[in-house]
Amino acid sequence: MTFDLTLIKSSYAAVEPHGTAVTKYFYEHLFTHHPEVRPLFARHLEEQEDRLWNAIGGLVANLEDTDTVVRILQGLGARHAGYGARPEHFPAVGASLLAALAHFAGDAWTPDIEASWAALYDTVTAVMTDAMATAGAA
Ligand code: HEM
């Protein structure tokens, strides 16, 4: 993995106190810029904000443990095959996630931090879309 773990952890620590305000901002950003994905999210959005926030926290907390992170992402990817998520949706979701993190990190957000999150998101996308394809083919 090519991202800088220290930068990910320190920037996440700056954003973490904002809690699900971050994932709320994320969904508003995503649905404003990509209204076509809105119909995929049937579940009550507040519940989804909690789930996504917990998933991001769990991933960041386990980043040193590659096996655990890969296992979490494979499960997540396999379930996403059933949510109607497609590989081409991932850049839109990534852009909104980075926008939300940048918004709440404020002055603490730097180009190096942005590049690290982008690299981490690319890795996450690769593992999840592989698992989606496997689950979709099964
Ligand atoms: C870093 C990438 C992503 C992460 C960490 C993530 C995380 C999650 C989590 C934790 C859930 C809750 C259910 C579960 O655990 O299975 C979920 C549900 C969902 N995700 Fe994602 N997701 C990601 C990317 C995407 C993408 C690219 C799409 C495509 C638009 C998407 C669409 C959905 C949908 C439709 C649901 C179900 C919502 C509902 O039941 O209403 N996700 N996601």
Side-chain angles (χ1 to χ4, degrees), residues 16-95:
E16 211 266 334
H18 296 282
T20 52
V22 182
T23 40
K24 189 177 173 52
Y25 184 100
F26 160 80
Y27 282 114
E28 283 169 6
H29 190 280
L30 180 64
F31 297 152
T32 300
H33 292 88
H34 293 277
E36 71 278 9
V37 301
R38 180 65 185 91
L40 298 179
F41 292 86
R43 203 188 292 267
H44 197 262
L45 213 52
E46 274 179 24
E47 188 184 326
Q48 187 56 28
E49 285 161 10
D50 286 349
R51 285 166 171 248
L52 180 60
W53 183 242
N54 290 336
I56 293 169
L59 289 170
V60 172
N62 282 294
L63 274 182
E64 285 95 343
D65 182 354
T66 307
D67 288 351
T68 300
V69 170
V70 168
R71 189 175 42 75
I72 292 171
L73 291 175
Q74 283 172 338
L76 204 50
R79 293 196 296 279
H80 275 69
Y83 299 152
R86 293 196 305 274
E88 56 268 32
H89 292 140
F90 277 77
V93 165

Coordinates of all heavy atoms in Angstrom, one line a residue, residues 16-95:
E16 N -12.2 13.1 13.3 CA -13.0 12.1 14.1 C -14.0 12.8 15.1 O -15.1 12.3 15.2 CB -12.0 11.2 14.8 CG -12.4 9.8 15.1 CD -13.1 9.7 16.5 OE1 -12.7 10.6 17.3 OE2 -13.9 8.9 16.7
P17 N -13.6 13.9 15.8 CA -14.6 14.5 16.7 C -15.9 15.0 16.1 O -16.9 15.2 16.8 CB -13.8 15.7 17.3 CG -12.3 15.4 17.1 CD -12.3 14.6 15.8
H18 N -15.9 15.1 14.8 CA -17.1 15.6 14.1 C -18.1 14.5 13.9 O -19.3 14.8 13.6 CB -16.8 16.3 12.8 CG -15.9 17.5 12.9 ND1 -16.4 18.7 13.3 CD2 -14.6 17.7 12.8 CE1 -15.5 19.6 13.4 NE2 -14.3 19.0 13.1
G19 N -17.7 13.3 14.1 CA -18.7 12.1 14.1 C -19.5 12.1 12.8 O -18.9 12.3 11.7
T20 N -20.7 11.7 12.9 CA -21.5 11.5 11.7 C -21.9 12.7 10.9 O -22.5 12.6 9.9 CB -22.8 10.7 12.0 OG1 -23.5 11.3 13.1 CG2 -22.5 9.2 12.4
A21 N -21.5 13.9 11.5 CA -21.6 15.1 10.6 C -20.8 14.9 9.3 O -21.2 15.5 8.3 CB -21.2 16.4 11.4
V22 N -19.7 14.2 9.4 CA -18.9 13.9 8.3 C -19.6 13.1 7.2 O -19.6 13.4 6.0 CB -17.5 13.2 8.7 CG1 -16.6 13.0 7.5 CG2 -16.8 14.0 9.8
T23 N -20.2 12.0 7.7 CA -20.9 11.1 6.7 C -22.2 11.8 6.2 O -22.6 11.6 5.1 CB -21.2 9.7 7.3 OG1 -21.6 9.8 8.6 CG2 -19.9 8.9 7.2
K24 N -22.8 12.6 7.0 CA -24.0 13.4 6.6 C -23.6 14.3 5.4 O -24.2 14.4 4.4 CB -24.6 14.2 7.7 CG -25.9 14.8 7.5 CD -26.4 15.5 8.7 CE -27.6 16.3 8.5 NZ -28.7 15.6 7.9
Y25 N -22.5 15.0 5.6 CA -21.9 15.9 4.6 C -21.6 15.1 3.4 O -21.9 15.5 2.2 CB -20.7 16.6 5.2 CG -20.0 17.6 4.3 CD1 -20.3 19.0 4.5 CD2 -19.2 17.2 3.2 CE1 -19.7 19.9 3.6 CE2 -18.6 18.2 2.4 CZ -18.8 19.5 2.6 OH -18.3 20.5 1.8
F26 N -21.0 13.9 3.6 CA -20.6 13.1 2.4 C -21.8 12.7 1.6 O -21.8 12.9 0.4 CB -20.0 11.8 3.0 CG -20.0 10.6 2.0 CD1 -19.0 10.5 1.0 CD2 -21.0 9.6 2.1 CE1 -19.1 9.5 0.1 CE2 -21.0 8.6 1.2 CZ -20.0 8.5 0.2
Y27 N -22.9 12.3 2.2 CA -24.1 11.9 1.4 C -24.7 13.1 0.7 O -25.1 13.0 -0.4 CB -25.1 11.2 2.3 CG -24.7 9.7 2.5 CD1 -24.4 9.3 3.8 CD2 -24.7 8.8 1.5 CE1 -24.0 8.0 4.0 CE2 -24.3 7.5 1.7 CZ -24.0 7.1 3.0 OH -23.5 5.8 3.2
E28 N -24.7 14.3 1.4 CA -25.3 15.4 0.7 C -24.4 15.8 -0.5 O -25.0 16.2 -1.6 CB -25.3 16.6 1.7 CG -26.5 16.5 2.7 CD -26.5 17.5 3.9 OE1 -25.6 18.4 3.9 OE2 -27.3 17.3 4.8
H29 N -23.1 15.7 -0.3 CA -22.2 16.1 -1.5 C -22.4 15.1 -2.6 O -22.5 15.4 -3.8 CB -20.8 16.0 -0.9 CG -19.7 16.5 -1.9 ND1 -19.2 15.8 -2.9 CD2 -19.1 17.7 -2.0 CE1 -18.4 16.5 -3.6 NE2 -18.3 17.7 -3.0
L30 N -22.5 13.8 -2.2 CA -22.6 12.7 -3.3 C -23.9 12.9 -4.0 O -24.0 12.8 -5.3 CB -22.6 11.3 -2.6 CG -22.7 10.1 -3.5 CD1 -21.6 10.0 -4.5 CD2 -22.8 8.8 -2.7
F31 N -25.1 13.1 -3.3 CA -26.3 13.2 -4.0 C -26.5 14.5 -4.7 O -27.3 14.5 -5.7 CB -27.5 13.0 -3.0 CG -27.5 11.6 -2.3 CD1 -28.0 11.5 -1.0 CD2 -26.9 10.5 -2.9 CE1 -27.9 10.2 -0.4 CE2 -26.9 9.3 -2.3 CZ -27.4 9.1 -1.0
T32 N -25.8 15.5 -4.3 CA -25.8 16.8 -5.1 C -25.1 16.6 -6.4 O -25.6 17.0 -7.5 CB -25.2 17.9 -4.3 OG1 -25.9 18.1 -3.1 CG2 -25.2 19.3 -5.1
H33 N -23.9 16.0 -6.4 CA -23.1 15.9 -7.6 C -23.5 14.6 -8.4 O -23.2 14.6 -9.6 CB -21.6 15.8 -7.2 CG -21.1 17.1 -6.6 ND1 -21.2 17.5 -5.3 CD2 -20.6 18.2 -7.3 CE1 -20.7 18.7 -5.1 NE2 -20.4 19.2 -6.3
H34 N -24.0 13.6 -7.8 CA -24.4 12.4 -8.5 C -25.8 11.9 -8.1 O -25.9 10.9 -7.5 CB -23.3 11.3 -8.3 CG -22.0 11.6 -8.9 ND1 -21.8 11.4 -10.2 CD2 -20.9 12.3 -8.4 CE1 -20.5 11.9 -10.5 NE2 -20.0 12.4 -9.4
P35 N -26.8 12.7 -8.5 CA -28.2 12.3 -8.0 C -28.6 10.9 -8.6 O -29.5 10.3 -8.0 CB -29.1 13.4 -8.6 CG -28.2 14.1 -9.6 CD -26.8 13.9 -9.2
E36 N -27.9 10.4 -9.6 CA -28.3 9.1 -10.2 C -28.0 8.0 -9.2 O -28.6 6.9 -9.4 CB -27.5 8.9 -11.5 CG -26.0 8.6 -11.4 CD -25.1 9.8 -11.3 OE1 -25.7 10.9 -11.1 OE2 -23.9 9.7 -11.3
V37 N -27.2 8.1 -8.2 CA -27.0 7.0 -7.2 C -27.9 7.1 -6.0 O -28.0 6.1 -5.3 CB -25.5 6.9 -6.7 CG1 -24.5 6.7 -7.8 CG2 -25.1 8.1 -5.8
R38 N -28.7 8.2 -5.9 CA -29.6 8.3 -4.8 C -30.6 7.2 -4.6 O -30.8 6.7 -3.5 CB -30.3 9.7 -4.9 CG -31.3 10.0 -3.7 CD -30.5 10.1 -2.4 NE -31.4 10.2 -1.2 CZ -31.8 9.2 -0.5 NH1 -31.6 8.0 -0.8 NH2 -32.6 9.5 0.6
P39 N -31.2 6.7 -5.7 CA -32.2 5.6 -5.6 C -31.6 4.3 -5.0 O -32.4 3.5 -4.5 CB -32.7 5.4 -7.0 CG -32.4 6.7 -7.7 CD -31.1 7.2 -7.1
L40 N -30.3 4.1 -5.1 CA -29.7 2.9 -4.6 C -29.8 2.8 -3.0 O -29.8 1.7 -2.4 CB -28.2 2.8 -4.9 CG -27.8 2.7 -6.4 CD1 -26.3 2.6 -6.5 CD2 -28.4 1.5 -7.1
F41 N -29.9 4.0 -2.4 CA -29.9 4.0 -0.9 C -31.3 4.1 -0.4 O -31.9 5.1 -0.2 CB -29.1 5.3 -0.5 CG -27.6 5.2 -0.8 CD1 -27.1 5.6 -2.0 CD2 -26.7 4.6 0.1 CE1 -25.8 5.5 -2.3 CE2 -25.4 4.5 -0.2 CZ -24.9 4.9 -1.4
A42 N -31.8 2.9 -0.2 CA -33.2 2.7 0.3 C -33.3 2.9 1.8 O -34.3 3.4 2.3 CB -33.7 1.4 -0.2
R43 N -32.3 2.4 2.5 CA -32.4 2.3 3.9 C -32.4 3.8 4.5 O -32.0 4.7 3.8 CB -31.1 1.6 4.4 CG -31.2 1.1 5.8 CD -29.8 0.6 6.2 NE -29.4 -0.5 5.5 CZ -29.6 -1.8 5.8 NH1 -30.2 -2.1 6.9 NH2 -29.1 -2.8 5.1
H44 N -32.9 3.9 5.7 CA -33.0 5.2 6.3 C -31.6 5.8 6.4 O -30.6 5.2 6.9 CB -33.6 5.0 7.8 CG -34.0 6.3 8.3 ND1 -33.2 7.0 9.2 CD2 -35.1 7.0 8.2 CE1 -33.9 8.2 9.5 NE2 -35.0 8.2 8.9
L45 N -31.4 7.0 5.9 CA -30.1 7.5 5.7 C -29.3 7.8 7.0 O -28.1 7.6 7.0 CB -30.2 8.8 4.8 CG -29.0 9.1 3.9 CD1 -28.7 7.9 3.0 CD2 -29.2 10.3 3.1
E46 N -30.0 8.1 8.1 CA -29.3 8.3 9.3 C -28.6 7.0 9.8 O -27.5 7.0 10.3 CB -30.3 8.8 10.4 CG -30.4 10.3 10.4 CD -31.4 10.8 11.4 OE1 -31.6 10.1 12.5 OE2 -31.9 11.9 11.2
E47 N -29.3 5.9 9.6 CA -28.7 4.6 9.9 C -27.4 4.4 9.0 O -26.4 3.9 9.5 CB -29.7 3.5 9.6 CG -29.3 2.2 10.1 CD -30.4 1.1 9.7 OE1 -31.6 1.4 9.7 OE2 -30.0 0.0 9.4
Q48 N -27.6 4.7 7.7 CA -26.5 4.5 6.8 C -25.3 5.4 7.2 O -24.1 5.0 7.0 CB -27.0 4.8 5.4 CG -26.0 4.5 4.3 CD -25.5 3.0 4.3 OE1 -26.2 2.1 4.8 NE2 -24.3 2.8 3.9
E49 N -25.6 6.6 7.7 CA -24.5 7.6 8.1 C -23.7 6.9 9.2 O -22.5 7.0 9.2 CB -25.1 8.9 8.5 CG -25.5 9.7 7.3 CD -26.5 10.8 7.7 OE1 -26.7 11.1 8.9 OE2 -27.1 11.4 6.8
D50 N -24.4 6.3 10.2 CA -23.8 5.6 11.3 C -22.9 4.5 10.8 O -21.8 4.3 11.2 CB -24.8 5.0 12.3 CG -25.5 6.1 13.1 OD1 -25.0 7.2 13.1 OD2 -26.5 5.8 13.7
R51 N -23.5 3.7 9.9 CA -22.8 2.5 9.4 C -21.5 2.9 8.7 O -20.4 2.2 8.9 CB -23.6 1.7 8.5 CG -24.7 0.9 9.2 CD -25.7 0.4 8.1 NE -26.7 -0.5 8.7 CZ -26.7 -1.8 8.4 NH1 -25.9 -2.3 7.5 NH2 -27.6 -2.6 9.0
L52 N -21.6 3.8 7.8 CA -20.4 4.3 7.1 C -19.4 4.9 8.0 O -18.2 4.6 7.8 CB -20.8 5.3 6.0 CG -19.7 5.8 5.1 CD1 -19.0 4.7 4.3 CD2 -20.2 6.8 4.1
W53 N -19.8 5.7 8.9 CA -18.9 6.3 9.9 C -18.1 5.2 10.7 O -16.9 5.2 10.9 CB -19.6 7.2 10.8 CG -18.7 8.0 11.8 CD1 -18.8 7.9 13.1 CD2 -17.7 8.9 11.5 NE1 -17.8 8.7 13.7 CE2 -17.1 9.3 12.7 CE3 -17.2 9.4 10.3 CZ2 -16.1 10.2 12.7 CZ3 -16.1 10.3 10.3 CH2 -15.6 10.7 11.5
N54 N -18.9 4.2 11.2 CA -18.2 3.1 11.9 C -17.3 2.3 11.0 O -16.2 1.9 11.5 CB -19.3 2.2 12.5 CG -20.1 2.8 13.6 OD1 -19.6 3.7 14.2 ND2 -21.3 2.4 13.8
A55 N -17.6 2.1 9.7 CA -16.8 1.4 8.8 C -15.5 2.1 8.6 O -14.4 1.5 8.6 CB -17.5 1.1 7.5
I56 N -15.6 3.4 8.4 CA -14.3 4.2 8.2 C -13.4 4.2 9.4 O -12.2 3.9 9.3 CB -14.7 5.7 7.8 CG1 -15.4 5.7 6.4 CG2 -13.4 6.5 7.7 CD1 -16.0 7.1 6.1
G57 N -14.0 4.3 10.6 CA -13.3 4.3 11.8 C -12.6 2.9 12.0 O -11.4 2.8 12.4
G58 N -13.4 1.9 11.7 CA -12.8 0.5 11.8 C -11.7 0.2 10.9 O -10.7 -0.4 11.3
L59 N -11.8 0.8 9.7 CA -10.7 0.6 8.7 C -9.5 1.3 9.1 O -8.4 0.8 9.1 CB -11.2 1.1 7.3 CG -12.2 0.2 6.6 CD1 -12.7 0.9 5.4 CD2 -11.6 -1.2 6.3
V60 N -9.6 2.6 9.5 CA -8.5 3.4 9.9 C -7.8 2.8 11.2 O -6.6 2.7 11.2 CB -8.9 4.9 10.2 CG1 -7.7 5.6 10.8 CG2 -9.3 5.5 8.9
A61 N -8.6 2.3 12.1 CA -8.0 1.7 13.3 C -7.2 0.4 13.0 O -6.3 0.1 13.8 CB -9.2 1.4 14.3
N62 N -7.6 -0.3 11.9 CA -6.9 -1.6 11.6 C -5.9 -1.5 10.5 O -5.4 -2.5 10.0 CB -8.0 -2.6 11.2 CG -8.7 -3.1 12.5 OD1 -8.1 -3.8 13.3 ND2 -10.0 -2.8 12.6
L63 N -5.6 -0.3 10.1 CA -4.7 -0.1 8.9 C -3.4 -0.8 9.0 O -2.8 -1.3 7.9 CB -4.5 1.3 8.5 CG -5.6 2.0 7.7 CD1 -5.2 3.4 7.4 CD2 -5.9 1.2 6.4
E64 N -2.8 -1.0 10.2 CA -1.5 -1.7 10.3 C -1.7 -3.1 10.0 O -0.7 -3.8 9.7 CB -1.0 -1.5 11.7 CG -0.4 -0.1 12.0 CD -1.4 0.8 12.7 OE1 -2.6 0.5 12.6 OE2 -1.0 1.8 13.3
D65 N -2.9 -3.6 10.2 CA -3.1 -5.1 10.0 C -3.8 -5.4 8.7 O -5.0 -5.5 8.5 CB -4.1 -5.5 11.2 CG -4.3 -7.0 11.2 OD1 -3.9 -7.7 10.3 OD2 -5.0 -7.4 12.2
T66 N -2.9 -5.5 7.7 CA -3.4 -5.7 6.3 C -4.4 -6.8 6.1 O -5.4 -6.7 5.4 CB -2.2 -5.9 5.3 OG1 -1.2 -4.8 5.6 CG2 -2.6 -5.8 3.9
D67 N -4.1 -8.0 6.8 CA -5.0 -9.1 6.6 C -6.4 -8.8 7.1 O -7.4 -9.2 6.4 CB -4.5 -10.3 7.4 CG -3.2 -10.9 6.8 OD1 -2.9 -10.5 5.7 OD2 -2.6 -11.8 7.4
T68 N -6.5 -8.1 8.2 CA -7.8 -7.8 8.8 C -8.5 -6.8 7.9 O -9.7 -7.0 7.6 CB -7.7 -7.2 10.2 OG1 -7.0 -8.1 11.0 CG2 -9.0 -6.8 10.8
V69 N -7.8 -5.8 7.4 CA -8.4 -4.8 6.5 C -8.9 -5.4 5.2 O -10.0 -5.1 4.8 CB -7.4 -3.6 6.2 CG1 -7.9 -2.7 5.1 CG2 -7.1 -2.8 7.5
V70 N -8.1 -6.3 4.7 CA -8.5 -6.9 3.4 C -9.7 -7.8 3.6 O -10.7 -7.8 2.8 CB -7.3 -7.8 2.8 CG1 -7.8 -8.7 1.7 CG2 -6.2 -6.8 2.3
R71 N -9.7 -8.5 4.8 CA -10.9 -9.4 5.1 C -12.2 -8.5 5.2 O -13.2 -8.8 4.7 CB -10.6 -10.2 6.4 CG -11.6 -11.2 6.7 CD -11.2 -12.1 7.9 NE -10.7 -11.3 9.0 CZ -11.4 -10.5 9.8 NH1 -12.7 -10.4 9.7 NH2 -10.8 -9.8 10.8
I72 N -12.1 -7.4 5.9 CA -13.2 -6.5 6.1 C -13.7 -6.0 4.7 O -14.9 -6.0 4.4 CB -12.8 -5.2 7.0 CG1 -12.6 -5.7 8.4 CG2 -14.0 -4.2 7.0 CD1 -12.0 -4.6 9.3
L73 N -12.7 -5.6 3.9 CA -13.1 -5.0 2.6 C -13.7 -6.0 1.6 O -14.5 -5.7 0.8 CB -11.9 -4.3 2.0 CG -11.4 -3.0 2.7 CD1 -10.1 -2.5 2.0 CD2 -12.5 -2.0 2.7
Q74 N -13.2 -7.3 1.8 CA -13.7 -8.3 0.9 C -15.2 -8.6 1.3 O -16.1 -8.7 0.4 CB -12.9 -9.6 1.0 CG -11.6 -9.5 0.2 CD -10.7 -10.6 0.5 OE1 -10.7 -11.3 1.5 NE2 -9.7 -10.8 -0.5
G75 N -15.5 -8.6 2.6 CA -16.9 -8.8 3.0 C -17.8 -7.6 2.5 O -18.9 -7.8 2.0
L76 N -17.2 -6.4 2.7 CA -17.9 -5.2 2.3 C -18.2 -5.2 0.8 O -19.3 -4.9 0.3 CB -17.1 -4.0 2.7 CG -17.7 -2.6 3.0 CD1 -18.9 -2.7 3.9 CD2 -16.7 -1.7 3.5
G77 N -17.2 -5.5 0.0 CA -17.3 -5.6 -1.4 C -18.3 -6.6 -1.9 O -19.2 -6.3 -2.7
A78 N -18.3 -7.8 -1.3 CA -19.2 -8.8 -1.6 C -20.7 -8.4 -1.4 O -21.6 -8.6 -2.2 CB -18.9 -10.1 -0.8
R79 N -20.9 -7.7 -0.2 CA -22.3 -7.2 0.1 C -22.7 -6.1 -0.9 O -23.8 -6.0 -1.3 CB -22.3 -6.7 1.5 CG -22.2 -7.8 2.6 CD -22.6 -7.4 4.0 NE -21.9 -6.3 4.5 CZ -20.7 -6.4 5.2 NH1 -20.1 -7.6 5.2 NH2 -20.1 -5.4 5.7
H80 N -21.7 -5.3 -1.3 CA -22.0 -4.2 -2.3 C -22.5 -4.7 -3.6 O -23.2 -4.0 -4.3 CB -20.8 -3.2 -2.4 CG -20.8 -2.2 -1.3 ND1 -20.5 -2.5 0.0 CD2 -21.1 -0.9 -1.4 CE1 -20.6 -1.4 0.7 NE2 -21.0 -0.4 -0.1
A81 N -22.1 -5.9 -4.0 CA -22.6 -6.5 -5.2 C -24.2 -6.6 -5.2 O -24.9 -6.4 -6.2 CB -22.1 -7.9 -5.5
G82 N -24.7 -6.8 -4.0 CA -26.2 -6.9 -3.8 C -26.8 -5.5 -3.6 O -28.1 -5.4 -3.6
Y83 N -26.1 -4.4 -3.5 CA -26.6 -3.1 -3.3 C -26.8 -2.3 -4.6 O -27.3 -1.2 -4.6 CB -25.8 -2.2 -2.4 CG -25.5 -2.8 -1.0 CD1 -24.3 -2.5 -0.3 CD2 -26.5 -3.6 -0.3 CE1 -24.1 -3.0 1.0 CE2 -26.2 -4.1 0.9 CZ -25.1 -3.8 1.6 OH -24.8 -4.2 2.9
G84 N -26.4 -3.0 -5.7 CA -26.4 -2.3 -7.0 C -25.3 -1.3 -7.2 O -25.3 -0.6 -8.2
A85 N -24.2 -1.4 -6.3 CA -23.0 -0.6 -6.5 C -22.3 -1.2 -7.7 O -22.2 -2.4 -7.9 CB -22.2 -0.6 -5.3
R86 N -21.7 -0.3 -8.5 CA -20.9 -0.8 -9.7 C -19.5 -0.1 -9.6 O -19.3 1.0 -9.0 CB -21.6 -0.4 -11.0 CG -22.9 -1.2 -11.2 CD -23.3 -1.1 -12.6 NE -23.5 0.2 -13.1 CZ -24.6 1.0 -13.0 NH1 -25.6 0.5 -12.4 NH2 -24.6 2.2 -13.5
P87 N -18.5 -0.7 -10.2 CA -17.1 -0.2 -10.2 C -17.1 1.3 -10.6 O -16.3 2.1 -10.0 CB -16.3 -1.0 -11.1 CG -17.1 -2.3 -11.1 CD -18.5 -2.0 -10.9
E88 N -17.9 1.7 -11.6 CA -17.9 3.1 -12.1 C -18.4 4.1 -11.0 O -18.3 5.3 -11.2 CB -18.6 3.2 -13.4 CG -20.0 2.8 -13.5 CD -20.1 1.3 -13.9 OE1 -19.2 0.5 -13.6 OE2 -21.2 1.0 -14.6
H89 N -19.1 3.6 -10.0 CA -19.6 4.5 -8.9 C -18.4 4.9 -8.0 O -18.6 5.9 -7.2 CB -20.6 3.8 -8.1 CG -21.9 3.6 -8.8 ND1 -22.6 2.4 -8.6 CD2 -22.6 4.3 -9.7 CE1 -23.7 2.5 -9.4 NE2 -23.7 3.6 -10.1
F90 N -17.4 4.1 -7.9 CA -16.3 4.4 -6.9 C -15.7 5.7 -7.0 O -15.4 6.4 -5.9 CB -15.3 3.2 -6.9 CG -15.9 2.1 -6.0 CD1 -16.8 1.2 -6.5 CD2 -15.4 1.9 -4.7 CE1 -17.3 0.2 -5.8 CE2 -15.9 0.8 -3.9 CZ -16.9 0.0 -4.5
P91 N -15.3 6.3 -8.2 CA -14.7 7.6 -8.2 C -15.6 8.7 -7.6 O -15.1 9.6 -6.9 CB -14.5 7.8 -9.7 CG -14.3 6.4 -10.3 CD -15.3 5.6 -9.5
A92 N -16.9 8.6 -7.9 CA -17.8 9.6 -7.3 C -17.9 9.5 -5.8 O -17.8 10.6 -5.1 CB -19.2 9.4 -7.9
V93 N -17.9 8.3 -5.3 CA -18.0 8.1 -3.8 C -16.6 8.6 -3.2 O -16.6 9.3 -2.2 CB -18.2 6.7 -3.5 CG1 -17.9 6.3 -2.0 CG2 -19.7 6.3 -3.8
G94 N -15.5 8.3 -3.9 CA -14.2 8.7 -3.4 C -14.1 10.3 -3.4 O -13.6 10.8 -2.4
A95 N -14.6 10.9 -4.4 CA -14.5 12.4 -4.5 C -15.3 13.0 -3.4 O -14.9 14.0 -2.7 CB -15.0 12.9 -5.9

